[in-house]
């Protein structure tokens, strides 16, 4: 570890961390796909209730999306407003 | 269309007086334009604040124009009256389906929120930095929802509002309080994250398109336009509807009937 710039090390690790944080995107992807599939099924069964089904599905999708957005925000903070670089002594 | 958008973007930038050179580095934070010192307190006037003022001025101007025009409206609609009635009826049915007939007066408030968020999200198309891509804006709008949720809860429920925190068993009081605090956080972060994510991806696309070798310059045509259509128009409209719908649902949940 001799001769390694601590700033470069922290920045590199932050980039890896941002990438790992975006793994959170898997969950909402699966969840929203499932919701959309069920929504399509429901419209197929009851085409006249299309409006209600669509708005309910969008509401569910929006709530399911929260976790993915949290991951995105963590990745953004690590990439563009890194709080860890300031903690390096010297 | 892609080149056209770039031109519009820099034109607007020149008009307003700051640099929106599309080939410049990706800047995510909203720029500080002016630092005011009022009574020893430093107030930062950022790009977000100025853009919000421009959007507010545009919305107020449109509202005033239609208010003056409204004097000539007749029973049988014609011209602009059709559009206004369409918008108002959409908002009325939206509020009535999400809340109820009794609380239809919330439509007045949520129409303002809806218009502000929608125009903010779509302002990215004109080369502005969308004000909703700043956590300050979304947190401020969400704070009003948070106040409304608890004001309506206390006003309609009185004691049962406070009793609701001790259900199903009193031990869950801290968890109930945390879940109440999580509501505005998730609401504001959802809008902020979606718009900021779209903005960053668009910035990266513009950066990549600026550095293409000359043989691949053909990608400059149409690619940004299609992506703007998805990230600004589609995501912007959907997130506006979802923000307003979730706000109304949360308020409706707290109202004791």
């Amino acid at each position: 570890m001799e001769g390694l710039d601590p700033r470069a090390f922290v920045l590199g690790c932050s980039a890896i961390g941002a990438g790992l944080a975006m793994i959170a995107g898997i969950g909402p992807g699966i969840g929203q796909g499932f919701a959309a599939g069920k929504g399509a099924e429901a419209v197929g069964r009851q085409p006249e209730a299309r409006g209600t089904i669509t708005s309910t599905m969008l509401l569910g999708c929006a709530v399911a999306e929260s976790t993915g957005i949290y991951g995105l925000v963590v990745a953004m903070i690590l990439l563009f407003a890194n709080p860890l670089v300031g903690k390096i002594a010297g | 269309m892609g080149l056209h958008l770039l031109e519009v973007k820099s034109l607007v930038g020149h008009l307003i007086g700051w640099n929106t050179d599309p080939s410049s580095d990706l800047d995510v934070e909203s720029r500080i334009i002016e630092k005011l010192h009022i009574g020893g307190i430093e107030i930062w006037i950022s790009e977000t604040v100025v853009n919000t003022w421009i959007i507010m001025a545009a919305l107020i101007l449109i509202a005033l124009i239609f208010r003056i025009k409204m004097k000539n409206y007749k029973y049988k609609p014609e011209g602009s009256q059709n559009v206004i009635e369409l918008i108002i009826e959409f908002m009325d049915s939206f509020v009535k389906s999400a809340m109820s007939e009794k609380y239809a007066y919330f439509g007045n408030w949520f129409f303002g929120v809806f218009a502000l968020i929608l125009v903010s999200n779509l302002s990215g198309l004109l080369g502005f930095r969308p004000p909703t891509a700043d956590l300050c804006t979304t947190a401020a709008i969400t704070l009003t929802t948070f106040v409304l949720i608890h004001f309506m809860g206390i006003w309609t429920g009185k004691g049962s509002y406070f009793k609701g925190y001790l259900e199903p068993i009193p031990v869950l009081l801290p968890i109930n309080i945390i879940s109440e605090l999580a509501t505005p956080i998730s609401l504001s972060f959802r809008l902020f994250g979606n718009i900021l994510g779209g903005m960053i991806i668009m910035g990266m696309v513009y950066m990549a398109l600026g550095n293409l070798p000359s043989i691949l310059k053909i990608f400059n045509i149409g690619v940004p336009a299609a992506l703007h259509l998805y990230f600004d128009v589609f995501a912007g409209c959907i997130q506006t509807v979802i923000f307003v719908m979730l706000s109304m649902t949360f308020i409706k949940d707290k109202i004791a009937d």
Side-chain angles (χ1 to χ4, degrees):
Chain A
M1 297 290 278
E2 277 300 308
L4 181 63
D5 181 13
R7 206 181 132 78
F9 183 71
V10 169
L11 283 176
C13 286
S14 300
I16 295 173
L20 289 178
M22 285 316 292
I23 294 176
I26 294 174
I30 295 172
Q32 291 184 353
F34 198 69
K38 286 282 178 193
E41 249 174 49
V43 173
R45 209 176 299 127
Q46 262 183 306
E48 67 277 4
R50 189 194 173 90
T52 326
I53 292 167
T54 310
S55 60
T56 313
M57 189 198 81
L58 281 178
L59 199 71
C61 281
V63 175
E65 206 181 3
S66 306
T67 51
I69 294 292
Y70 295 155
L72 179 75
V73 170
V74 169
M76 300 280 183
I77 289 171
L78 283 176
L79 284 181
F80 297 110
N82 200 321
L84 302 174
V85 176
K87 292 209 169 136
I88 302 167
Chain B
M1 189 64 187
L3 291 170
H4 180 65
L5 272 172
L6 281 178
E7 278 159 21
V8 170
K9 221 173 151 151
S10 56
L11 179 74
V12 172
H14 282 304
L15 284 177
I16 306 165
W18 66 72
N19 175 31
T20 50
D21 182 12
S23 63
S24 65
D25 274 349
L26 184 65
D27 49 345
V28 171
E29 281 181 42
S30 112
R31 267 161 292 186
I32 310 294
I33 292 169
E34 194 77 56
K35 285 185 186 173
L36 298 178
H37 295 273
I38 298 171
I41 306 164
E42 200 171 72
I43 297 172
W44 290 5
I45 307 294
S46 65
E47 214 179 337
T48 306
V49 177
V50 178
N51 286 355
T52 313
W53 285 340
I54 295 170
I55 288 163
M56 275 160 58
L59 282 176
I60 291 171
L61 199 68
I62 293 169
L64 284 177
I65 288 171
F66 281 114
R67 187 68 191 82
I68 292 164
K69 273 192 163 187
M70 205 187 267
K71 290 190 179 111
N72 305 325
Y73 282 176
K74 300 171 196 73
Y75 180 70
K76 198 175 155 196
E78 54 186 29
S80 68
Q81 193 180 351
N82 286 313
V83 182
I84 297 297
E85 282 190 6
L86 192 75
I87 297 170
I88 300 295
E89 272 169 19
F90 161 74
M91 204 60 213
D92 265 357
S93 67
F94 188 32
V95 176
K96 276 174 192 163
S97 72
M99 300 185 81
S100 63
E101 201 81 28
K102 196 179 160 194
Y103 297 102
Y105 57 81
F106 270 103
N108 300 335
W109 162 253
F110 279 116
F111 183 73
V113 174
F114 193 91
L116 178 66
I117 299 176
L118 185 68
V119 176
S120 298
N121 290 349
L122 294 181
S123 68
L125 288 174
L126 294 176
F128 292 98
R129 187 185 189 282
T132 36
D134 192 322
L135 189 56
C136 304
T137 311
T138 58
I141 301 172
T142 313
L143 201 61
T144 61
T145 299
F146 184 70
V147 171
L148 269 179
I149 291 172
H150 295 284
F151 174 77
M152 287 309 287
I154 295 170
W155 196 43
T156 58
K158 306 279 183 322
S160 69
Y161 166 81
F162 297 102
K163 208 167 153 267
Y165 284 102
L166 300 175
E167 279 166 0
I169 44 170
V171 185
L172 291 179
L173 176 67
I175 295 182
N176 281 334
I177 291 174
I178 289 170
S179 81
E180 287 306 321
L181 293 177
T183 303
I185 292 174
S186 75
L187 205 55
S188 59
F189 271 45
R190 181 177 302 115
L191 183 59
F192 162 69
N194 269 288
I195 305 301
L196 184 73
M199 202 190 79
I200 287 175
I201 292 172
M202 283 318 298
M204 285 176 174
V205 167
Y206 276 121
M207 244 166 74
L209 289 177
N211 296 326
L212 282 182
S214 57
I215 190 145
L216 291 175
K217 280 271 191 274
I218 188 85
F219 281 116
N220 280 346
I221 303 166
V223 171
L227 289 172
H228 268 298
L229 196 64
Y230 179 75
F231 287 115
D232 282 338
V233 179
F234 178 71
C237 293
I238 288 277
Q239 288 307 320
T240 311
V241 172
I242 282 170
F243 186 94
V244 174
M245 199 199 282
L246 280 178
S247 298
M248 291 194 292
T249 314
F250 288 140
I251 294 172
K252 181 82 182 71
D253 280 351
K254 273 285 172 204
I255 290 174
D257 262 334

